[in-house]
Amino acid sequence: MKREIISLQEVTFTYAEEDENVRPAVNNVSYTVYEGEWVAIVGHNGSGKSTLARLMNGLLFPQTGQVRVFGEALNEQSLWETRSQMGMVFQNPDNQFVGATVQDDVAFALENNGIPFEEMVERVKQSLVKVKMSDFMNSEPHHLSGGQKQRVAIAGAIALQPKILLLDEATSMLDPQGREEVLSTVRQLREETDLTVISITHDLEEALLADRVIMMNQGSKYAEGSPEEIFQRGQELVDLGLDLPFAMNISRLLKTQGITLVAEHMSEEELVNDLWTSHFNK
Amino acid sequence: MDITLQQVSYAYAKNTPFEKRALFDVDLHIPSGSYQAIIGHTGSGKSTVLQHLNALLKPTDGSIQIGDVEVSAGKKNKQLRKVRQKVGIVFQFPEHQLFDETVLKDIMFGPMNFGVPEQEAKRRAIELVSLLGLPDEVLEKSPFDLSGGQMRRVAIAGVLAMNPEVLVLDEPTAGLDPKGRKEIMDLFYRLHKEKGLTTILVTHSMEDAARYADRIAIMHDGKCVLAGTPQEIFSDEGRLMDFRLELPQSMKFQKKVEQMMGKKLPALCLTEEMLAEELARFLKKEREL
Amino acid sequence: MLEKMIFGRYIPGDSFIHRLDARAKLIFVFLFIAVVFIANNWITYGILVAFTFLIIRMSKIRLYFLINGLKPVVILIIFTFLLHLFFTREGAVIFEWKFIKIYEEGLRQGIFISIRFFVLVILTSILTLTTTPISITDALETLLNPLKKWKLPVHELALMMSISLRFIPTLMDETDKIMKAQMARGSDMTTGSMKERVNAIVPLLIPLFVSAFKRAEDLATAMEVRGYKGGEGRTRYRKLEWAAKDTIIILSLVVLAAVLVYFRS
């Protein structure tokens, strides 16, 4: 069995503690993330997925239930140690850029953790190489694109060499190009290291990259499984405000046109192959 | 109301060490009643073009004809308010412009600035709130108490309330979830069809441009490099790649299938629905042969 | 208008002045303010002007930009000049027309004060034009460090300053966007009576505040998540390096002061 990294046990959290009529933002949610996994937490806006992010790094504490990080309960004492092991990238590229220039921003968490100067310089350099931003060491944030800023944020997060990278809708404010930059950066980091990635998203492409998908709806865990298992639910997901993969949409549309297929396919290749075998290669 | 850009150039902070040219001799004609998409990467100049469409920026060279008003370099123009009433702009993240105590007052802000009587402005606000699929209760709420998606809709209502003849949309669905995105885009399309609203969509999304627009212009490095119907634009993939742009997903898939079949479908499939239809028709015909 | 203002902005470059340690430049400007007051006659003011032009040359900033960018300040200088010209009543009368009398001393004072003002503004501008705001902040933090003994929160102040500086362009962009969005909705901030204009600012200010608070909240969260717990136990990524050239520039000022003392009357 793989090592447990983060585990939520029957966690409930509400922003309005006095008012019982308000639905808790997160309601009795349990799940476990294992070492080296990429888990996507998906759901429509307001499904509670961002609250989960805040519960996982101790920005919020649950009213009931428990959050465990590296097998130990997350509380006020373990908080700072946990945070140094968990890099986090938020949604708005501008509002998390603390430093005056790219290199200052990457160094920020290192400074906070008292890393010695020589090592700091080395780590800043390496982190920027990893996200392909070394040419922009001295750039100021307002001269960077959204995608570039998010890559700097990733560099800042991995500079501390954390076990976990938590992406809280990190691509939702970016243009397609920026999204692609960020996702390929994360993909590449995963190839080079054993980083555990948790991405909170409503972007389908991002969810498809994950090993496992946890689907949230109205504060509760709605489903959990591999991307294939989740997207097989088809119409159900559409009703919950999510997209389906392109190939699946086409499969479904072809069916309504009276074209028979073996299955609703996730990938374009599978769909093309199916069309080939069942309609041409007879 | 036709809009015509003629040799429009624009430079930010002209004559300073910080001068930055953003547009170079842009020519673009947008006929009344059309649905025009303007596509380009961040920094291509599309946002600068957008701000010219209702004279928020004036060209540093060249001129732009908006209906019967001409805005040109170096000339003062007193009819800018008239232009602004007729051209409504939904900016990116329009919820950032909300400010009033109640949703109702905020929606009424635009029309009342242009001298629409209070009763009429109120009527429009009530009508628009339901058109945008918001419950009536929101009218008396503070816009800051709404969810992100609802705020977006209120902001859009605030622009529509001015009854513009031309609607300019700058990435109107950025940051929304897929369901919200589709609802908003479908609404704009319905308004375009039903009211004959000239619609100008500034976007990164090839899919949206292919699905909704009947004309597409491509901006690259401050120049308008391609303009035409979606069919014209998307039939030349090589040109698009020069500008680091891709075909819409349905057309990319069409190419894959055509390659597999060794035969071509009769039309360019701009949307998923069209692709499924064409492909089904083709497969049925093949079977009969 | 604001675009043309260069006071307080940074122009990237690689001149001798650009490469000086920010602390040296800060100390230089403060000392210079004192040195300027040594001058009291034509020769000493002449030397001051020459010295200033030498510094401009060394900074490789085009004179045209400096003058153009400092236009608003020039108006202030002219105003001070006229004030002295008309209200100093010493020495011989050199010009008389109806009730206006201009005295020799008035003209002299006017010119001297203007020169003083002018060289000070030029040299402070050169400081900001050739030094990144973050270096100035760093320099201030190091120079003020001894004050920590008296419980002055030097680190916090410096961090505040650097974050404010970092967000100025962001907030300027934001202001521009919101202003344009409201203008597109028919709001008019440039015409009408005073009352109308003040009213027109509300739709700009409220969204701006809302967004600034949201940014502040996000930023605080981001800082906390990245382990920020105040200045205690922090290491510093930025190191200022004092080199021989920094000592030389300060010494040049001592020499200047000596020369001025020698020639002053």
Side-chain angles (χ1 to χ4, degrees):
Chain A
M1 195 67 204
K2 274 188 158 179
R3 193 157 83 99
E4 166 189 318
I5 292 274
I6 291 186
S7 170
L8 270 70
Q9 315 273 321
E10 295 170 357
V11 164
T12 298
F13 178 85
T14 171
Y15 288 97
E17 255 179 285
E18 294 81 25
D19 194 346
E20 285 179 10
N21 297 323
V22 176
R23 163 177 74 74
V26 165
N27 196 358
N28 198 24
V29 171
S30 309
Y31 60 80
T32 305
V33 178
Y34 297 98
E35 188 166 24
E37 261 194 316
W38 182 335
V39 173
I41 300 179
V42 301
H44 58 86
N45 290 346
S47 60
K49 56 190 194 308
S50 278
T51 307
L52 283 179
R54 287 162 175 261
L55 287 165
M56 281 189 276
N57 69 6
L59 282 168
L60 299 172
F61 289 98
Q63 275 99 12
T64 60
Q66 195 190 41
V67 178
R68 283 206 313 255
V69 183
F70 308 120
E72 280 179 46
L74 180 63
N75 52 35
E76 306 275 357
Q77 285 79 44
S78 60
L79 193 61
W80 295 103
E81 172 56 23
T82 302
R83 284 183 183 160
S84 72
Q85 292 295 326
M86 193 181 318
M88 192 163 175
V89 179
F90 295 90
Q91 179 179 27
N92 191 320
D94 265 317
N95 297 2
Q96 55 187 315
F97 206 112
V98 185
T101 68
V102 166
Q103 51 175 332
D104 289 298
D105 192 61
V106 176
F108 184 71
L110 298 174
E111 293 179 311
N112 292 336
N113 282 278
I115 310 290
F117 178 75
E118 282 72 26
E119 198 184 335
M120 203 147 45
V121 173
E122 197 47 43
R123 286 214 208 168
V124 167
K125 219 185 279 169
Q126 280 173 3
S127 307
L128 283 172
V129 169
K130 280 185 189 153
V131 301
K132 301 199 176 70
M133 284 295 287
S134 342
D135 293 346
F136 297 87
M137 289 268 282
N138 291 309
S139 298
E140 292 169 27
H142 59 280
H143 291 137
L144 301 177
S145 72
Q148 289 174 325
K149 278 182 237 183
Q150 292 301 64
R151 274 149 66 203
V152 173
I154 293 176
I158 59 171
L160 263 186
Q161 301 166 345
K163 289 263 184 294
I164 313 163
L165 182 63
L166 186 51
L167 307 167
D168 185 4
E169 300 206 43
T171 61
S172 78
M173 283 177 77
L174 304 181
D175 59 17
Q177 205 185 350
R179 191 149 47 223
E180 191 39 53
E181 285 171 18
V182 169
L183 290 181
S184 69
T185 303
V186 176
R187 218 166 6 199
Q188 199 196 331
L189 280 176
R190 293 246 315 154
E191 279 165 22
E192 291 163 4
T193 59
D194 58 351
L195 196 66
T196 306
V197 174
I198 303 174
S199 62
I200 287 167
T201 181
H202 56 234
D203 181 57
L204 173 83
E205 206 190 323
E206 209 174 313
L208 278 175
L209 288 170
D211 304 316
R212 199 145 58 88
V213 176
I214 293 169
M215 201 183 148
M216 294 291 295
N217 183 43
Q218 311 239 338
S220 304
K221 188 168 87 176
Y222 184 84
E224 183 177 350
S226 67
E228 289 77 16
E229 284 161 3
I230 294 290
F231 286 111
Q232 284 309 332
R233 291 169 177 256
Q235 190 56 38
E236 230 176 297
L237 299 195
V238 178
D239 294 340
L240 290 173
L242 290 171
D243 255 343
L244 291 177
F246 172 80
M248 234 171 130
N249 271 334
I250 298 293
S251 307
R252 287 153 54 89
L253 286 164
L254 282 173
K255 267 190 187 166
T256 61
Q257 297 278 344
I259 301 293
T260 48
L261 293 170
V262 185
E264 289 182 359
H265 295 285
M266 292 270 298
S267 80
E268 297 183 18
E269 283 64 35
E270 281 169 23
L271 178 55
V272 172
N273 285 338
D274 189 354
L275 284 170
W276 173 250
T277 42
S278 45
H279 294 275
F280 282 92
N281 201 12
K282 282 181 192 163
Chain B
M1 200 163 87
D2 285 22
I3 296 182
T4 312
L5 283 83
Q6 264 177 336
Q7 297 285 302
V8 169
S9 295
Y10 187 81
Y12 288 97
K14 210 175 154 70
N15 297 329
T16 72
F18 311 102
E19 174 169 331
K20 216 175 90 198
R21 296 232 15 214
L23 293 182
F24 300 86
D25 303 325
V26 173
D27 283 307
L28 183 63
H29 176 67
I30 304 167
S32 189
S34 59
Y35 196 128
Q36 170 83 51
I38 301 178
I39 303 181
H41 287 295
T42 310
S44 61
K46 58 190 192 333
S47 297
T48 313
V49 167
L50 170 135
Q51 294 178 42
H52 280 84
L53 296 175
N54 78 349
L56 287 170
L57 292 179
K58 280 194 214 168
T60 39
D61 258 309
S63 73
I64 169 164
Q65 183 82 34
I66 306 165
D68 49 12
V69 178
E70 191 190 288
V71 183
S72 56
K75 274 190 217 156
K76 291 240 171 202
N77 197 319
K78 292 201 171 127
Q79 289 169 298
L80 296 185
R81 278 180 73 78
K82 201 169 110 191
V83 170
R84 292 196 183 137
Q85 178 168 22
K86 289 188 178 166
V87 183
I89 298 193
V90 176
F91 282 94
Q92 200 171 11
F93 302 109
E95 55 274 24
H96 292 168
Q97 73 195 33
L98 299 175
F99 73 97
D100 224 325
E101 286 162 66
T102 67
V103 167
L104 177 69
K105 282 189 187 167
D106 206 292
I107 299 178
M108 287 163 66
F109 176 71
M112 288 186 51
N113 275 331
F114 289 114
V116 172
E118 196 175 340
Q119 279 309 312
E120 168 63 12
K122 196 168 176 180
R123 192 191 61 75
R124 286 187 196 171
I126 293 167
E127 192 184 298
L128 282 165
V129 157
S130 70
L131 181 76
L132 281 152
L134 294 166
D136 284 346
E137 300 95 76
V138 301
L139 281 167
E140 291 308 321
K141 279 193 189 166
S142 158
F144 301 112
D145 288 342
L146 306 180
S147 74
Q150 286 176 319
M151 281 170 84
R152 176 77 51 96
R153 282 159 203 255
V154 169
I156 291 171
V159 175
L160 291 174
M162 303 189 299
N163 266 355
E165 289 173 31
V166 178
L167 188 61
V168 183
L169 309 166
D170 185 4
E171 295 285 352
T173 61
L176 294 183
D177 58 17
K179 192 175 170 192
R181 213 147 52 208
K182 188 167 178 343
E183 282 169 4
I184 298 273
M185 286 312 289
D186 285 348
L187 170 81
F188 286 132
Y189 192 64
R190 216 171 72 220
L191 287 171
H192 165 70
K193 283 286 169 208
E194 285 170 8
K195 295 192 175 175
L197 206 59
T198 310
T199 307
I200 301 166
L201 173 70
V202 176
T203 184
H204 301 113
S205 162
M206 296 312 241
E207 281 71 32
D208 282 349
R211 176 177 295 269
Y212 299 106
D214 42 46
R215 308 167 59 86
I216 295 178
I218 295 192
M219 295 289 302
H220 186 75
D221 286 343
K223 298 180 189 108
C224 178
V225 287
L226 277 180
T229 63
Q231 280 79 9
E232 285 163 6
I233 298 282
F234 292 130
S235 58
D236 193 350
E237 194 183 357
R239 282 291 275 165
L240 284 178
M241 298 218 319
D242 291 345
F243 308 121
R244 289 182 292 122
L245 293 170
E246 292 186 354
L247 289 176
Q249 220 168 2
S250 60
M251 289 188 52
K252 275 197 269 182
F253 187 73
Q254 179 181 2
K255 294 221 155 166
K256 271 189 206 166
V257 176
E258 286 175 346
Q259 215 172 17
M260 177 268 287
M261 300 189 303
K263 286 174 189 165
K264 285 206 176 290
L265 295 178
L268 285 179
C269 301
L270 296 174
T271 64
E272 294 175 356
E273 290 81 357
M274 194 171 160
L275 174 66
E277 225 170 277
E278 290 288 340
L279 196 54
R281 192 179 304 146
F282 186 83
L283 291 176
K284 283 175 192 159
K285 219 162 53 187
E286 284 285 306
R287 216 177 298 160
E288 283 159 18
L289 286 178
Chain C
M1 172 67 202
L2 276 174
E3 286 166 345
K4 291 214 171 115
M5 231 352 234
I6 58 166
F7 195 72
R9 287 175 88 162
Y10 169 68
I11 302 183
D14 193 33
S15 69
F16 177 78
I17 304 285
H18 276 90
R19 278 177 281 127
L20 286 175
D21 187 303
R23 283 170 300 182
K25 284 189 260 190
L26 265 180
I27 296 171
F28 179 89
V29 167
F30 280 112
L31 289 181
F32 186 77
I33 293 174
V35 170
V36 162
F37 285 91
I38 303 175
N40 69 347
N41 57 17
W42 291 104
I43 304 175
T44 43
Y45 273 106
I47 294 170
L48 266 187
V49 172
F51 185 79
T52 306
F53 275 94
L54 184 72
I55 299 283
I56 297 179
R57 266 308 285 270
M58 289 200 305
S59 73
K60 291 190 183 149
I61 292 174
R62 284 171 57 193
L63 198 60
Y64 165 79
F65 291 144
L66 261 180
I67 304 293
N68 213 21
L70 295 176
K71 259 183 199 157
V73 188
V74 169
I75 295 170
L76 207 64
I77 293 179
I78 293 174
F79 181 73
T80 333
F81 174 74
L82 292 177
L83 217 62
H84 277 90
L85 191 62
F86 292 126
F87 292 101
T88 311
R89 296 177 189 276
E90 277 170 56
V93 176
I94 50 169
F95 178 81
E96 196 170 356
W97 181 72
K98 288 190 180 161
F99 59 90
I100 298 175
K101 271 188 194 163
I102 290 176
Y103 298 82
E104 194 188 334
E105 190 58 26
L107 183 66
R108 237 169 68 97
Q109 284 292 329
I111 292 175
F112 285 173
I113 298 278
S114 302
I115 291 177
R116 199 185 283 170
F117 212 147
F118 177 76
V119 295
L120 282 179
V121 169
I122 293 273
L123 282 192
T124 349
S125 301
I126 287 179
L127 165 76
T128 61
L129 286 172
T130 61
T131 321
T132 56
I134 187 71
S135 313
I136 298 182
T137 316
D138 280 337
L140 272 177
E141 185 175 354
T142 344
L143 290 176
L144 295 180
N145 217 17
L147 296 182
K148 267 188 185 161
K149 271 189 214 140
W150 290 285
K151 298 260 155 69
L152 190 77
V154 176
H155 161 75
E156 283 75 11
L157 285 174
L159 186 76
M160 260 164 64
M161 193 167 139
S162 100
I163 288 178
S164 320
L165 286 169
R166 132 88 188 87
F167 271 94
I168 286 174
T170 312
L171 289 176
M172 295 269 267
D173 274 358
E174 181 114 342
T175 312
D176 184 61
K177 271 185 207 151
I178 295 171
M179 197 152 78
K180 282 185 171 143
Q182 306 300 31
M183 273 162 76
R185 292 209 284 167
S187 165
D188 192 345
M189 279 159 240
T190 52
T191 58
S193 67
M194 201 57 193
K195 189 167 169 255
E196 280 168 342
R197 284 192 208 194
V198 170
N199 281 339
I201 287 180
V202 174
L204 172 64
L205 282 188
I206 292 180
L208 211 52
F209 273 104
V210 169
S211 121
F213 281 122
K214 166 91 177 104
R215 284 185 197 282
E217 203 184 321
D218 282 2
L219 192 71
T221 309
M223 285 170 67
E224 199 185 325
V225 163
R226 287 159 79 179
Y228 182 74
K229 298 170 276 197
E232 203 88 347
R234 265 186 120 231
T235 40
R236 289 175 57 87
Y237 178 66
R238 283 192 168 261
K239 281 254 189 317
L240 296 165
E241 270 167 43
W242 190 277
K245 58 180 185 293
D246 300 303
T247 314
I248 291 171
I249 197 84
I250 301 292
L251 283 178
S252 78
L253 211 50
V254 177
V255 173
L256 175 73
V259 171
L260 290 182
V261 169
Y262 181 80
F263 283 108
R264 86 193 290 256
S265 43

